[in-house]
PDB file of all heavy atoms in Angstrom:
ATOM      1  N   SER D   1       0.790  -1.201   0.070  1.00 93.00           N
ATOM      2  CA  SER D   1       0.017  -0.035  -0.014  1.00 93.00           C
ATOM      3  C   SER D   1       0.834   1.249  -0.054  1.00 93.00           C
ATOM      4  O   SER D   1       0.738   2.138  -0.860  1.00 93.00           O
ATOM      5  CB  SER D   1      -0.923  -0.037   1.228  1.00 93.00           C
ATOM      6  OG  SER D   1      -1.839   1.148   1.139  1.00 93.00           O
ATOM      7  N   CYS D   2       1.873   1.392   0.904  1.00 87.00           N
ATOM      8  CA  CYS D   2       2.630   2.472   1.087  1.00 87.00           C
ATOM      9  C   CYS D   2       3.725   2.556   0.179  1.00 87.00           C
ATOM     10  O   CYS D   2       4.100   1.448  -0.320  1.00 87.00           O
ATOM     11  CB  CYS D   2       3.070   2.810   2.502  1.00 87.00           C
ATOM     12  SG  CYS D   2       4.101   1.456   3.095  1.00 87.00           S
ATOM     13  N   PRO D   3       4.355   3.736  -0.019  1.00 85.00           N
ATOM     14  CA  PRO D   3       5.621   3.763  -1.113  1.00 85.00           C
ATOM     15  C   PRO D   3       6.772   2.924  -0.681  1.00 85.00           C
ATOM     16  O   PRO D   3       7.578   2.357  -1.391  1.00 85.00           O
ATOM     17  CB  PRO D   3       5.995   5.209  -1.022  1.00 85.00           C
ATOM     18  CG  PRO D   3       4.704   6.034  -0.670  1.00 85.00           C
ATOM     19  CD  PRO D   3       4.047   5.015   0.351  1.00 85.00           C
ATOM     20  N   SER D   4       6.947   2.665   0.698  1.00 86.00           N
ATOM     21  CA  SER D   4       8.083   1.873   1.183  1.00 86.00           C
ATOM     22  C   SER D   4       7.738   0.342   1.102  1.00 86.00           C
ATOM     23  O   SER D   4       8.700  -0.347   1.549  1.00 86.00           O
ATOM     24  CB  SER D   4       8.438   2.248   2.622  1.00 86.00           C
ATOM     25  OG  SER D   4       7.277   2.165   3.442  1.00 86.00           O
ATOM     26  N   ASP D   5       6.575  -0.060   0.731  1.00 92.00           N
ATOM     27  CA  ASP D   5       6.253  -1.438   0.567  1.00 92.00           C
ATOM     28  C   ASP D   5       6.565  -2.248   1.900  1.00 92.00           C
ATOM     29  O   ASP D   5       7.182  -3.242   1.907  1.00 92.00           O
ATOM     30  CB  ASP D   5       6.888  -2.078  -0.560  1.00 92.00           C
ATOM     31  CG  ASP D   5       6.538  -3.498  -0.722  1.00 92.00           C
ATOM     32  OD1 ASP D   5       5.411  -3.933  -0.411  1.00 92.00           O
ATOM     33  OD2 ASP D   5       7.358  -4.351  -1.153  1.00 92.00           O
ATOM     34  N   CYS D   6       6.040  -1.757   3.063  1.00 89.00           N
ATOM     35  CA  CYS D   6       6.287  -2.366   4.300  1.00 89.00           C
ATOM     36  C   CYS D   6       5.765  -3.686   4.349  1.00 89.00           C
ATOM     37  O   CYS D   6       6.089  -4.629   5.301  1.00 89.00           O
ATOM     38  CB  CYS D   6       5.773  -1.567   5.472  1.00 89.00           C
ATOM     39  SG  CYS D   6       3.985  -1.334   5.605  1.00 89.00           S
ATOM     40  N   ALA D   7       4.793  -4.108   3.502  1.00 93.00           N
ATOM     41  CA  ALA D   7       4.171  -5.427   3.293  1.00 93.00           C
ATOM     42  C   ALA D   7       5.201  -6.459   2.631  1.00 93.00           C
ATOM     43  O   ALA D   7       5.028  -7.652   2.642  1.00 93.00           O
ATOM     44  CB  ALA D   7       2.789  -5.405   2.610  1.00 93.00           C
ATOM     45  N   GLN D   8       6.228  -5.900   2.119  1.00 95.00           N
ATOM     46  CA  GLN D   8       7.320  -6.708   1.398  1.00 95.00           C
ATOM     47  C   GLN D   8       6.624  -7.725   0.499  1.00 95.00           C
ATOM     48  O   GLN D   8       6.938  -8.941   0.385  1.00 95.00           O
ATOM     49  CB  GLN D   8       8.120  -7.494   2.391  1.00 95.00           C
ATOM     50  CG  GLN D   8       8.744  -6.649   3.507  1.00 95.00           C
ATOM     51  CD  GLN D   8       9.378  -7.218   4.621  1.00 95.00           C
ATOM     52  OE1 GLN D   8       8.804  -8.287   5.078  1.00 95.00           O
ATOM     53  NE2 GLN D   8      10.305  -6.658   5.299  1.00 95.00           N
ATOM     54  N   ALA D   9       5.808  -7.140  -0.389  1.00 97.00           N
ATOM     55  CA  ALA D   9       5.144  -7.916  -1.418  1.00 97.00           C
ATOM     56  C   ALA D   9       5.953  -8.819  -2.356  1.00 97.00           C
ATOM     57  O   ALA D   9       5.709  -9.963  -2.768  1.00 97.00           O
ATOM     58  CB  ALA D   9       4.155  -7.105  -2.341  1.00 97.00           C
ATOM     59  N   PRO D  10       7.072  -8.394  -2.789  1.00 96.00           N
ATOM     60  CA  PRO D  10       7.936  -9.150  -3.806  1.00 96.00           C
ATOM     61  C   PRO D  10       8.560 -10.329  -3.243  1.00 96.00           C
ATOM     62  O   PRO D  10       9.107 -11.102  -3.885  1.00 96.00           O
ATOM     63  CB  PRO D  10       9.092  -8.067  -4.113  1.00 96.00           C
ATOM     64  CG  PRO D  10       8.528  -6.823  -3.744  1.00 96.00           C
ATOM     65  CD  PRO D  10       7.686  -6.991  -2.586  1.00 96.00           C
ATOM     66  N   ILE D  11       8.370 -10.678  -1.873  1.00 97.00           N
ATOM     67  CA  ILE D  11       8.965 -12.000  -1.472  1.00 97.00           C
ATOM     68  C   ILE D  11       7.815 -12.905  -1.136  1.00 97.00           C
ATOM     69  O   ILE D  11       7.988 -13.937  -0.423  1.00 97.00           O
ATOM     70  CB  ILE D  11       9.804 -11.763  -0.199  1.00 97.00           C
ATOM     71  CG1 ILE D  11       9.065 -11.136   0.930  1.00 97.00           C
ATOM     72  CG2 ILE D  11      10.988 -10.956  -0.477  1.00 97.00           C
ATOM     73  CD1 ILE D  11       9.824 -11.102   2.191  1.00 97.00           C
ATOM     74  N   ASN D  12       6.690 -12.640  -1.800  1.00 97.00           N
ATOM     75  CA  ASN D  12       5.465 -13.526  -1.692  1.00 97.00           C
ATOM     76  C   ASN D  12       5.107 -14.297  -2.893  1.00 97.00           C
ATOM     77  O   ASN D  12       5.632 -13.845  -3.996  1.00 97.00           O
ATOM     78  CB  ASN D  12       4.231 -12.782  -1.141  1.00 97.00           C
ATOM     79  CG  ASN D  12       4.383 -12.269   0.295  1.00 97.00           C
ATOM     80  OD1 ASN D  12       3.804 -13.015   1.118  1.00 97.00           O
ATOM     81  ND2 ASN D  12       5.036 -11.243   0.472  1.00 97.00           N
ATOM     82  N   ASP D  13       4.384 -15.296  -2.814  1.00 98.00           N
ATOM     83  CA  ASP D  13       3.958 -16.080  -4.006  1.00 98.00           C
ATOM     84  C   ASP D  13       3.109 -15.199  -4.924  1.00 98.00           C
ATOM     85  O   ASP D  13       3.124 -15.260  -6.149  1.00 98.00           O
ATOM     86  CB  ASP D  13       3.282 -17.297  -3.576  1.00 98.00           C
ATOM     87  CG  ASP D  13       4.147 -18.286  -2.926  1.00 98.00           C
ATOM     88  OD1 ASP D  13       4.987 -18.851  -3.467  1.00 98.00           O
ATOM     89  OD2 ASP D  13       3.932 -18.499  -1.615  1.00 98.00           O
ATOM     90  N   ILE D  14       2.247 -14.329  -4.365  1.00 98.00           N
ATOM     91  CA  ILE D  14       1.643 -13.205  -5.134  1.00 98.00           C
ATOM     92  C   ILE D  14       1.725 -11.991  -4.390  1.00 98.00           C
ATOM     93  O   ILE D  14       1.475 -11.916  -3.106  1.00 98.00           O
ATOM     94  CB  ILE D  14      -0.009 -13.556  -5.400  1.00 98.00           C
ATOM     95  CG1 ILE D  14      -0.162 -15.005  -5.992  1.00 98.00           C
ATOM     96  CG2 ILE D  14      -0.592 -12.506  -6.157  1.00 98.00           C
ATOM     97  CD1 ILE D  14      -1.577 -15.269  -6.162  1.00 98.00           C
ATOM     98  N   GLY D  15       2.130 -10.852  -4.963  1.00 98.00           N
ATOM     99  CA  GLY D  15       2.212  -9.529  -4.455  1.00 98.00           C
ATOM    100  C   GLY D  15       1.371  -8.609  -5.249  1.00 98.00           C
ATOM    101  O   GLY D  15       1.416  -8.562  -6.454  1.00 98.00           O
ATOM    102  N   PHE D  16       0.479  -7.829  -4.611  1.00 98.00           N
ATOM    103  CA  PHE D  16      -0.406  -6.947  -5.129  1.00 98.00           C
ATOM    104  C   PHE D  16       0.093  -5.473  -4.878  1.00 98.00           C
ATOM    105  O   PHE D  16       0.364  -5.168  -3.803  1.00 98.00           O
ATOM    106  CB  PHE D  16      -1.779  -7.012  -4.657  1.00 98.00           C
ATOM    107  CG  PHE D  16      -2.548  -8.165  -5.157  1.00 98.00           C
ATOM    108  CD1 PHE D  16      -2.494  -9.358  -4.514  1.00 98.00           C
ATOM    109  CD2 PHE D  16      -3.273  -8.154  -6.401  1.00 98.00           C
ATOM    110  CE1 PHE D  16      -3.140 -10.557  -4.973  1.00 98.00           C
ATOM    111  CE2 PHE D  16      -4.043  -9.235  -6.744  1.00 98.00           C
ATOM    112  CZ  PHE D  16      -3.907 -10.402  -6.191  1.00 98.00           C
ATOM    113  N   PHE D  17       0.170  -4.649  -5.937  1.00 98.00           N
ATOM    114  CA  PHE D  17       0.583  -3.240  -5.733  1.00 98.00           C
ATOM    115  C   PHE D  17      -0.580  -2.357  -6.296  1.00 98.00           C
ATOM    116  O   PHE D  17      -0.984  -2.370  -7.448  1.00 98.00           O
ATOM    117  CB  PHE D  17       1.883  -2.891  -6.441  1.00 98.00           C
ATOM    118  CG  PHE D  17       2.915  -3.651  -5.843  1.00 98.00           C
ATOM    119  CD1 PHE D  17       3.372  -4.977  -6.411  1.00 98.00           C
ATOM    120  CD2 PHE D  17       3.821  -3.087  -4.969  1.00 98.00           C
ATOM    121  CE1 PHE D  17       4.478  -5.606  -5.914  1.00 98.00           C
ATOM    122  CE2 PHE D  17       4.906  -3.799  -4.407  1.00 98.00           C
ATOM    123  CZ  PHE D  17       5.228  -5.056  -4.802  1.00 98.00           C
ATOM    124  N   PRO D  18      -1.139  -1.446  -5.509  1.00 97.00           N
ATOM    125  CA  PRO D  18      -2.288  -0.557  -5.923  1.00 97.00           C
ATOM    126  C   PRO D  18      -2.014   0.415  -6.996  1.00 97.00           C
ATOM    127  O   PRO D  18      -0.823   0.997  -7.042  1.00 97.00           O
ATOM    128  CB  PRO D  18      -2.653   0.114  -4.633  1.00 97.00           C
ATOM    129  CG  PRO D  18      -1.538   0.146  -3.809  1.00 97.00           C
ATOM    130  CD  PRO D  18      -0.693  -1.003  -4.075  1.00 97.00           C
ATOM    131  N   HIS D  19      -2.856   0.489  -7.993  1.00 96.00           N
ATOM    132  CA  HIS D  19      -2.692   1.452  -9.012  1.00 96.00           C
ATOM    133  C   HIS D  19      -4.084   2.088  -9.343  1.00 96.00           C
ATOM    134  O   HIS D  19      -5.074   1.386  -9.137  1.00 96.00           O
ATOM    135  CB  HIS D  19      -2.111   0.963 -10.330  1.00 96.00           C
ATOM    136  CG  HIS D  19      -0.664   0.663 -10.244  1.00 96.00           C
ATOM    137  ND1 HIS D  19       0.375   1.468 -10.493  1.00 96.00           N
ATOM    138  CD2 HIS D  19       0.017  -0.561 -10.043  1.00 96.00           C
ATOM    139  CE1 HIS D  19       1.558   1.068 -10.265  1.00 96.00           C
ATOM    140  NE2 HIS D  19       1.433  -0.333  -9.862  1.00 96.00           N
ATOM    141  N   VAL D  20      -4.047   3.188  -9.973  1.00 97.00           N
ATOM    142  CA  VAL D  20      -5.229   3.873 -10.570  1.00 97.00           C
ATOM    143  C   VAL D  20      -4.981   4.170 -11.930  1.00 97.00           C
ATOM    144  O   VAL D  20      -4.168   4.794 -12.412  1.00 97.00           O
ATOM    145  CB  VAL D  20      -5.699   5.061  -9.700  1.00 97.00           C
ATOM    146  CG1 VAL D  20      -6.815   5.761 -10.383  1.00 97.00           C
ATOM    147  CG2 VAL D  20      -6.078   4.753  -8.301  1.00 97.00           C
ATOM    148  N   ARG D  21      -5.800   3.571 -12.892  1.00 97.00           N
ATOM    149  CA  ARG D  21      -5.669   3.871 -14.335  1.00 97.00           C
ATOM    150  C   ARG D  21      -7.019   4.378 -14.843  1.00 97.00           C
ATOM    151  O   ARG D  21      -8.158   3.664 -14.795  1.00 97.00           O
ATOM    152  CB  ARG D  21      -5.370   2.542 -15.074  1.00 97.00           C
ATOM    153  CG  ARG D  21      -5.280   2.583 -16.516  1.00 97.00           C
ATOM    154  CD  ARG D  21      -4.873   1.304 -17.148  1.00 97.00           C
ATOM    155  NE  ARG D  21      -3.471   0.915 -16.903  1.00 97.00           N
ATOM    156  CZ  ARG D  21      -2.948  -0.252 -17.278  1.00 97.00           C
ATOM    157  NH1 ARG D  21      -3.651  -1.056 -18.054  1.00 97.00           N
ATOM    158  NH2 ARG D  21      -1.634  -0.491 -17.061  1.00 97.00           N
ATOM    159  N   ASP D  22      -6.882   5.518 -15.420  1.00 96.00           N
ATOM    160  CA  ASP D  22      -8.085   6.262 -16.054  1.00 96.00           C
ATOM    161  C   ASP D  22      -9.237   6.307 -14.991  1.00 96.00           C
ATOM    162  O   ASP D  22     -10.478   5.993 -15.326  1.00 96.00           O
ATOM    163  CB  ASP D  22      -8.584   5.521 -17.176  1.00 96.00           C
ATOM    164  CG  ASP D  22      -7.669   5.511 -18.410  1.00 96.00           C
ATOM    165  OD1 ASP D  22      -6.803   6.405 -18.437  1.00 96.00           O
ATOM    166  OD2 ASP D  22      -7.602   4.467 -19.044  1.00 96.00           O
ATOM    167  N   GLY D  23      -8.940   6.592 -13.730  1.00 96.00           N
ATOM    168  CA  GLY D  23      -9.897   6.691 -12.624  1.00 96.00           C
ATOM    169  C   GLY D  23     -10.324   5.449 -12.076  1.00 96.00           C
ATOM    170  O   GLY D  23     -11.087   5.440 -11.174  1.00 96.00           O
ATOM    171  N   LYS D  24      -9.788   4.361 -12.569  1.00 98.00           N
ATOM    172  CA  LYS D  24     -10.283   2.960 -12.147  1.00 98.00           C
ATOM    173  C   LYS D  24      -9.266   2.312 -11.201  1.00 98.00           C
ATOM    174  O   LYS D  24      -8.065   2.382 -11.505  1.00 98.00           O
ATOM    175  CB  LYS D  24     -10.470   2.119 -13.271  1.00 98.00           C
ATOM    176  CG  LYS D  24     -11.216   0.837 -12.921  1.00 98.00           C
ATOM    177  CD  LYS D  24     -11.524  -0.089 -14.199  1.00 98.00           C
ATOM    178  CE  LYS D  24     -12.264  -1.255 -13.912  1.00 98.00           C
ATOM    179  NZ  LYS D  24     -13.526  -1.036 -13.454  1.00 98.00           N
ATOM    180  N   ARG D  25      -9.770   1.829 -10.091  1.00 98.00           N
ATOM    181  CA  ARG D  25      -8.735   1.179  -9.116  1.00 98.00           C
ATOM    182  C   ARG D  25      -8.414  -0.274  -9.546  1.00 98.00           C
ATOM    183  O   ARG D  25      -9.221  -0.877 -10.032  1.00 98.00           O
ATOM    184  CB  ARG D  25      -9.390   1.227  -7.699  1.00 98.00           C
ATOM    185  CG  ARG D  25      -9.703   2.440  -7.139  1.00 98.00           C
ATOM    186  CD  ARG D  25     -10.329   2.359  -5.758  1.00 98.00           C
ATOM    187  NE  ARG D  25     -10.373   3.596  -4.932  1.00 98.00           N
ATOM    188  CZ  ARG D  25     -10.890   3.666  -3.771  1.00 98.00           C
ATOM    189  NH1 ARG D  25     -11.402   2.675  -3.143  1.00 98.00           N
ATOM    190  NH2 ARG D  25     -10.900   4.918  -3.153  1.00 98.00           N
ATOM    191  N   GLY D  26      -7.153  -0.572  -9.323  1.00 98.00           N
ATOM    192  CA  GLY D  26      -6.636  -1.842  -9.631  1.00 98.00           C
ATOM    193  C   GLY D  26      -5.249  -2.132  -8.957  1.00 98.00           C
ATOM    194  O   GLY D  26      -4.838  -1.373  -8.116  1.00 98.00           O
ATOM    195  N   PHE D  27      -4.730  -3.287  -9.430  1.00 98.00           N
ATOM    196  CA  PHE D  27      -3.437  -3.722  -8.885  1.00 98.00           C
ATOM    197  C   PHE D  27      -2.531  -4.109 -10.055  1.00 98.00           C
ATOM    198  O   PHE D  27      -3.053  -4.710 -11.057  1.00 98.00           O
ATOM    199  CB  PHE D  27      -3.622  -4.893  -7.880  1.00 98.00           C
ATOM    200  CG  PHE D  27      -4.317  -4.669  -6.732  1.00 98.00           C
ATOM    201  CD1 PHE D  27      -5.772  -5.025  -6.701  1.00 98.00           C
ATOM    202  CD2 PHE D  27      -3.870  -3.996  -5.678  1.00 98.00           C
ATOM    203  CE1 PHE D  27      -6.400  -4.956  -5.523  1.00 98.00           C
ATOM    204  CE2 PHE D  27      -4.644  -3.788  -4.457  1.00 98.00           C
ATOM    205  CZ  PHE D  27      -5.943  -4.187  -4.469  1.00 98.00           C
ATOM    206  N   SER D  28      -1.283  -3.900  -9.896  1.00 98.00           N
ATOM    207  CA  SER D  28      -0.324  -4.670 -10.692  1.00 98.00           C
ATOM    208  C   SER D  28       0.019  -5.956  -9.912  1.00 98.00           C
ATOM    209  O   SER D  28       0.052  -5.784  -8.622  1.00 98.00           O
ATOM    210  CB  SER D  28       0.983  -3.824 -10.814  1.00 98.00           C
ATOM    211  OG  SER D  28       1.670  -3.487  -9.676  1.00 98.00           O
ATOM    212  N   VAL D  29       0.254  -6.965 -10.537  1.00 98.00           N
ATOM    213  CA  VAL D  29       0.296  -8.252  -9.903  1.00 98.00           C
ATOM    214  C   VAL D  29       1.565  -8.923 -10.129  1.00 98.00           C
ATOM    215  O   VAL D  29       2.073  -9.103 -11.294  1.00 98.00           O
ATOM    216  CB  VAL D  29      -0.853  -9.223 -10.267  1.00 98.00           C
ATOM    217  CG1 VAL D  29      -0.768 -10.492  -9.539  1.00 98.00           C
ATOM    218  CG2 VAL D  29      -2.238  -8.520 -10.008  1.00 98.00           C
ATOM    219  N   TYR D  30       2.315  -9.319  -9.170  1.00 98.00           N
ATOM    220  CA  TYR D  30       3.591  -9.988  -9.174  1.00 98.00           C
ATOM    221  C   TYR D  30       3.462 -11.389  -8.627  1.00 98.00           C
ATOM    222  O   TYR D  30       2.616 -11.645  -7.868  1.00 98.00           O
ATOM    223  CB  TYR D  30       4.729  -9.185  -8.453  1.00 98.00           C
ATOM    224  CG  TYR D  30       5.108  -7.958  -9.203  1.00 98.00           C
ATOM    225  CD1 TYR D  30       4.356  -6.975  -9.442  1.00 98.00           C
ATOM    226  CD2 TYR D  30       6.486  -7.739  -9.544  1.00 98.00           C
ATOM    227  CE1 TYR D  30       4.688  -5.853 -10.170  1.00 98.00           C
ATOM    228  CE2 TYR D  30       7.025  -6.708 -10.225  1.00 98.00           C
ATOM    229  CZ  TYR D  30       6.112  -5.688 -10.430  1.00 98.00           C
ATOM    230  OH  TYR D  30       6.498  -4.600 -11.186  1.00 98.00           O
ATOM    231  N   ALA D  31       4.277 -12.327  -9.111  1.00 98.00           N
ATOM    232  CA  ALA D  31       4.179 -13.694  -8.577  1.00 98.00           C
ATOM    233  C   ALA D  31       5.612 -14.374  -8.517  1.00 98.00           C
ATOM    234  O   ALA D  31       6.491 -13.906  -9.146  1.00 98.00           O
ATOM    235  CB  ALA D  31       3.264 -14.496  -9.431  1.00 98.00           C
ATOM    236  N   ALA D  32       5.652 -15.287  -7.681  1.00 98.00           N
ATOM    237  CA  ALA D  32       6.682 -16.221  -7.578  1.00 98.00           C
ATOM    238  C   ALA D  32       7.860 -15.745  -6.633  1.00 98.00           C
ATOM    239  O   ALA D  32       8.952 -16.271  -6.824  1.00 98.00           O
ATOM    240  CB  ALA D  32       7.247 -16.713  -8.941  1.00 98.00           C
ATOM    241  N   GLY D  33       7.600 -14.882  -5.744  1.00 97.00           N
ATOM    242  CA  GLY D  33       8.609 -14.295  -4.853  1.00 97.00           C
ATOM    243  C   GLY D  33       8.752 -15.340  -3.686  1.00 97.00           C
ATOM    244  O   GLY D  33       7.924 -16.119  -3.389  1.00 97.00           O
ATOM    245  N   GLY D  34       9.971 -15.337  -2.937  1.00 95.00           N
ATOM    246  CA  GLY D  34      10.106 -16.134  -1.809  1.00 95.00           C
ATOM    247  C   GLY D  34      11.617 -15.899  -1.289  1.00 95.00           C
ATOM    248  O   GLY D  34      12.527 -15.588  -2.049  1.00 95.00           O
ATOM    249  N   LEU D  35      11.745 -16.403  -0.106  1.00 94.00           N
ATOM    250  CA  LEU D  35      13.107 -16.338   0.609  1.00 94.00           C
ATOM    251  C   LEU D  35      13.646 -17.718   0.564  1.00 94.00           C
ATOM    252  O   LEU D  35      13.648 -18.387  -0.383  1.00 94.00           O
ATOM    253  CB  LEU D  35      12.996 -15.667   1.901  1.00 94.00           C
ATOM    254  CG  LEU D  35      12.491 -14.108   1.937  1.00 94.00           C
ATOM    255  CD1 LEU D  35      12.469 -13.620   3.292  1.00 94.00           C
ATOM    256  CD2 LEU D  35      13.530 -13.355   1.195  1.00 94.00           C
ATOM    257  N   GLY D  36      14.202 -18.061   1.824  1.00 88.00           N
ATOM    258  CA  GLY D  36      14.831 -19.365   2.029  1.00 88.00           C
ATOM    259  C   GLY D  36      16.157 -19.482   1.349  1.00 88.00           C
ATOM    260  O   GLY D  36      16.778 -18.367   1.144  1.00 88.00           O
ATOM    261  N   PRO D  37      16.841 -20.636   1.091  1.00 86.00           N
ATOM    262  CA  PRO D  37      18.145 -20.738   0.766  1.00 86.00           C
ATOM    263  C   PRO D  37      18.437 -20.090  -0.778  1.00 86.00           C
ATOM    264  O   PRO D  37      19.511 -19.693  -0.914  1.00 86.00           O
ATOM    265  CB  PRO D  37      18.396 -22.269   0.526  1.00 86.00           C
ATOM    266  CG  PRO D  37      17.217 -22.813   1.136  1.00 86.00           C
ATOM    267  CD  PRO D  37      16.038 -21.950   1.155  1.00 86.00           C
ATOM    268  N   GLN D  38      17.380 -19.963  -1.537  1.00 92.00           N
ATOM    269  CA  GLN D  38      17.501 -19.422  -2.902  1.00 92.00           C
ATOM    270  C   GLN D  38      16.538 -18.241  -2.988  1.00 92.00           C
ATOM    271  O   GLN D  38      15.417 -18.543  -3.730  1.00 92.00           O
ATOM    272  CB  GLN D  38      17.271 -20.494  -3.972  1.00 92.00           C
ATOM    273  CG  GLN D  38      18.466 -21.520  -4.002  1.00 92.00           C
ATOM    274  CD  GLN D  38      18.278 -22.412  -5.198  1.00 92.00           C
ATOM    275  OE1 GLN D  38      17.175 -23.142  -5.247  1.00 92.00           O
ATOM    276  NE2 GLN D  38      19.434 -22.718  -5.771  1.00 92.00           N
ATOM    277  N   PRO D  39      16.737 -17.059  -2.408  1.00 95.00           N
ATOM    278  CA  PRO D  39      15.791 -15.947  -2.453  1.00 95.00           C
ATOM    279  C   PRO D  39      15.487 -15.616  -3.847  1.00 95.00           C
ATOM    280  O   PRO D  39      16.357 -15.594  -4.699  1.00 95.00           O
ATOM    281  CB  PRO D  39      16.407 -14.896  -1.622  1.00 95.00           C
ATOM    282  CG  PRO D  39      17.825 -15.160  -1.669  1.00 95.00           C
ATOM    283  CD  PRO D  39      17.995 -16.757  -1.755  1.00 95.00           C
ATOM    284  N   PHE D  40      14.251 -15.170  -4.224  1.00 96.00           N
ATOM    285  CA  PHE D  40      13.832 -14.864  -5.562  1.00 96.00           C
ATOM    286  C   PHE D  40      12.709 -13.741  -5.435  1.00 96.00           C
ATOM    287  O   PHE D  40      11.665 -14.001  -4.728  1.00 96.00           O
ATOM    288  CB  PHE D  40      13.177 -16.134  -6.248  1.00 96.00           C
ATOM    289  CG  PHE D  40      13.082 -16.037  -7.691  1.00 96.00           C
ATOM    290  CD1 PHE D  40      14.078 -16.112  -8.619  1.00 96.00           C
ATOM    291  CD2 PHE D  40      11.762 -15.758  -8.220  1.00 96.00           C
ATOM    292  CE1 PHE D  40      13.948 -16.016  -9.949  1.00 96.00           C
ATOM    293  CE2 PHE D  40      11.555 -15.701  -9.636  1.00 96.00           C
ATOM    294  CZ  PHE D  40      12.599 -15.746 -10.461  1.00 96.00           C
ATOM    295  N   LEU D  41      12.987 -12.707  -6.157  1.00 97.00           N
ATOM    296  CA  LEU D  41      11.926 -11.659  -6.111  1.00 97.00           C
ATOM    297  C   LEU D  41      10.821 -11.884  -6.973  1.00 97.00           C
ATOM    298  O   LEU D  41      11.083 -12.433  -8.232  1.00 97.00           O
ATOM    299  CB  LEU D  41      12.656 -10.258  -6.306  1.00 97.00           C
ATOM    300  CG  LEU D  41      13.541  -9.626  -5.328  1.00 97.00           C
ATOM    301  CD1 LEU D  41      14.153  -8.321  -5.750  1.00 97.00           C
ATOM    302  CD2 LEU D  41      12.768  -9.580  -4.012  1.00 97.00           C
ATOM    303  N   ALA D  42       9.565 -11.615  -6.697  1.00 97.00           N
ATOM    304  CA  ALA D  42       8.417 -11.847  -7.517  1.00 97.00           C
ATOM    305  C   ALA D  42       8.563 -11.070  -8.818  1.00 97.00           C
ATOM    306  O   ALA D  42       9.263 -10.129  -8.890  1.00 97.00           O
ATOM    307  CB  ALA D  42       7.140 -11.377  -6.842  1.00 97.00           C
ATOM    308  N   ARG D  43       7.965 -11.625  -9.857  1.00 97.00           N
ATOM    309  CA  ARG D  43       8.058 -11.104 -11.305  1.00 97.00           C
ATOM    310  C   ARG D  43       6.749 -10.626 -11.628  1.00 97.00           C
ATOM    311  O   ARG D  43       5.674 -11.146 -11.283  1.00 97.00           O
ATOM    312  CB  ARG D  43       8.668 -12.082 -12.227  1.00 97.00           C
ATOM    313  CG  ARG D  43       9.991 -12.625 -11.834  1.00 97.00           C
ATOM    314  CD  ARG D  43      11.097 -11.580 -11.944  1.00 97.00           C
ATOM    315  NE  ARG D  43      12.431 -12.135 -12.037  1.00 97.00           N
ATOM    316  CZ  ARG D  43      13.244 -12.302 -10.972  1.00 97.00           C
ATOM    317  NH1 ARG D  43      12.805 -11.917  -9.796  1.00 97.00           N
ATOM    318  NH2 ARG D  43      14.430 -12.667 -11.144  1.00 97.00           N
ATOM    319  N   PRO D  44       6.729  -9.628 -12.631  1.00 98.00           N
ATOM    320  CA  PRO D  44       5.382  -9.121 -13.074  1.00 98.00           C
ATOM    321  C   PRO D  44       4.587 -10.135 -13.756  1.00 98.00           C
ATOM    322  O   PRO D  44       5.139 -10.666 -14.725  1.00 98.00           O
ATOM    323  CB  PRO D  44       5.690  -7.991 -13.861  1.00 98.00           C
ATOM    324  CG  PRO D  44       7.144  -8.073 -14.303  1.00 98.00           C
ATOM    325  CD  PRO D  44       7.743  -8.885 -13.107  1.00 98.00           C
TER     326      PRO D  44
END
C-alpha cells in the first residue's frame, strides 16, 4: 500500500501493488517471490 512497501510484497507467492488507471482502481500483480536458501523476487 505505502511507497516503502512495508508489506514486502515481492517476497510472496503473489504480491499486489495498488494502481489507478483512468480513474479505475486496480493492482499490478507479481508472482513467484520467496526467501529461503535461494531467495527470488516476484516477477510481474
Side-chain angles (χ1 to χ4, degrees):
S1 183
C2 63
S4 60
D5 182 31
C6 67
Q8 300 167 337
I11 59 171
N12 285 263
D13 295 290
I14 304 180
F16 287 89
F17 295 87
H19 286 281
V20 174
R21 178 179 290 182
D22 299 327
K24 190 176 183 64
R25 293 178 174 183
F27 297 103
S28 61
V29 183
Y30 285 61
L35 294 178
Q38 295 181 310
F40 190 80
L41 291 178
R43 301 299 196 261

